[in-house]
Amino acid sequence: MGIRISGMASGLNTENMIKDLMKAQREPVNRLQRSKYSVEWKRDAYRDMNTILADLQNSMKSLRMSGSFNKKIASSENDTIASAKVAGKPSLSSYSIEVESLAKAGTPPKAEFNLAVTDPKIPIGGSDFTITISKDSNGDGTIDSNDTVGVPITVSGANDSLDSIIQNINNAKAGVKASYFNNKLVLTSEDGKQFKVDTSNSNNLNIGSTTSTAGTVGTPAKFKINGVEYTSATNSFSFDGIDLTLKQANVGAPVVVSTKTDEDAVFNMVKDFVDKYNAVLETINKKIAEPKYKSYQPLLEEEKEALPEKTAEKLENMAKSGVLLRDPILTSGLNELRRAISTPLQVAGTNPAFDTLSEIGIGGAPSGKNAYLENGKLYIDETKLRESIRNNGDDVLKLFTNYSSSSNASTKYNESGVAERLYNQLNQVIDKITKEAGAVGTIADDSNLSKKIKQTDDDIDRWEDRLKMIEDRYWKQFSAMEKAMSKAQSQGSWFAQMLGQK
């Protein structure tokens, strides 16, 4: 850089003069910086549009699946006899159910002991003892040496409460479950086999030596479905995708369980799609029609710092406005989305009365002088759509979900259902925007705008090097001037001194 001499001989504010000169020299860099800001704004605006388009596309996944339109609900004409709920995919629209007898659960072997315990949480007192539980493991009805060796549980009268004894029994893996209710200790077999309880000595629990009851065997439910006899160990079971619960016998008076399309579920799914589609259209239409204020340019950092915060924010918003005005990618993308929505389904087997959305109750804005301002917004005729779902569910399903395997692009487009067609068109628009502006969240990519930003950064760096050289040149010129003036002043003083001596 060298030595910089500032106004020592001339008295000039050299530093400020050079700053003023450099302001004019920096104008090309400022233009590049403003251009970079504009490109960054456009990139970010594109990515915002891509985000809402991708969100719409993700929300349409269920709309492309036939299973979403095949949701069923079941209803019984008499819930006091048998109730029904869809759990899978019923194959019939109705089922006749006749209940001969309900299932009766068996009772497991158990042993009950009346206790004189006042508080199950305090130690039981008395001497220590052992509880031994043996199981009839071979199922011959007796507990002998051929059966499971007894599982001993040690009890400390001074330390163990009834609660801890119950916990120890349950943790012993003796095949029984212990519980306490109504001043009774109840032991229940977990595998349906009898067991015996022995204590090592007398104790204040009065257990002694006791063999469990034998238990009882349950009886299955007997019923007919569509005239065919069945049995079930319980009164609740699944049959052909329906969960049935039998509640009382109705011999000779069959109950009909009907299945039908879940109209509310399908309607709400379609309505959610329409609402989201309209929101996306409104956002993008607003963006591509946003006014552009050419007289407002991006503010440089030093310009922002010199302005009040609110003023700087307002000016920047004005400069940002219209970055996607009449953008060709978004404009053509919206046109393609509208075409995907309105083009009739053209494939063999299509009901001509249900080959467009308008025919099932989803159309454009009502006629009127302001209808054109809606820009493709969809409106739902709820009555008509519900009737279509209820009475022509298969046609509605096909209109949305039909898939074409044709290799011909035009044929595939015409044969694809609305949801399938729209999903693919969204994919194309998203790909175009990604190619232009990159993916959301990425810093460095190969998109066109990212390349443009990088090129601008390179140009700015080159200009910064050039400006440094220009500034150094200015300083050298002013320094040379200061040296010359200083020398001239020195010589003048010498002449004046010599003349004064004469």
Side-chain angles (χ1 to χ4, degrees), residues 104-110 189 191-194 212-219:
K104 185 177 180 182
T107 59
K110 69 177 180 179
S189 175
D191 58 8
K193 295 178 180 179
Q194 284 188 274
S212 67
T213 61
T216 61
V217 178
T219 57

Side-chain angles (χ1 to χ4, degrees), residues 38-163:
S38 295
V39 176
E40 287 177 337
W41 292 343
K42 188 171 186 178
R43 178 199 61 190
D44 294 343
Y46 264 137
R47 291 182 177 183
D48 288 342
M49 297 301 101
N50 237 8
T51 297
I52 64 172
L53 288 169
D55 185 45
L56 174 62
Q57 187 185 44
N58 288 332
S59 71
M60 292 181 60
K61 289 180 179 178
S62 60
L63 204 65
R64 301 166 62 210
M65 305 300 174
S66 59
S68 302
F69 290 85
N70 284 326
K71 292 179 180 178
K72 302 285 186 180
I73 55 174
S75 60
S76 170
E77 64 180 4
N78 191 339
D79 278 336
T80 63
I81 302 295
S83 61
K85 180 181 178 181
V86 170
K89 297 180 179 180
S91 59
L92 302 176
S93 60
S94 65
Y95 302 81
S96 174
I97 300 175
E98 186 176 355
V99 183
E100 180 181 331
S101 61
L102 297 177
K104 185 177 180 182
T107 59
K110 69 177 180 179
E112 295 183 355
F113 306 95
N114 291 314
L115 305 178
V117 177
T118 57
D119 188 343
K121 297 185 181 301
I122 63 174
I124 61 173
S127 60
D128 297 347
F129 61 94
T130 302
I131 299 174
T132 302
I133 300 174
S134 304
K135 292 295 292 290
D136 176 18
S137 59
N138 58 17
D140 62 2
T142 60
I143 294 95
D144 50 35
S145 59
N146 295 321
D147 294 311
T148 302
V149 177
V151 178
I153 295 102
T154 301
V155 177
S156 168
N159 299 313
D160 286 333
S161 66
L162 181 58
D163 280 350

Side-chain angles (χ1 to χ4, degrees), residues 78 138 149 191 214 245 247 269 287 315 436 482:
N78 191 339
N138 58 17
V149 177
D191 58 8
T245 299
K247 298 180 179 179
M269 177 180 65
K287 199 65 180 178
L315 293 175
E436 184 68 15
E482 292 290 339

Side-chain angles (χ1 to χ4, degrees), residues 432-450:
K432 288 179 181 178
I433 293 176
T434 302
K435 184 177 180 180
E436 184 68 15
V440 176
T442 58
I443 298 175
D445 54 56
D446 291 329
S447 67
N448 295 334
L449 293 182
S450 290

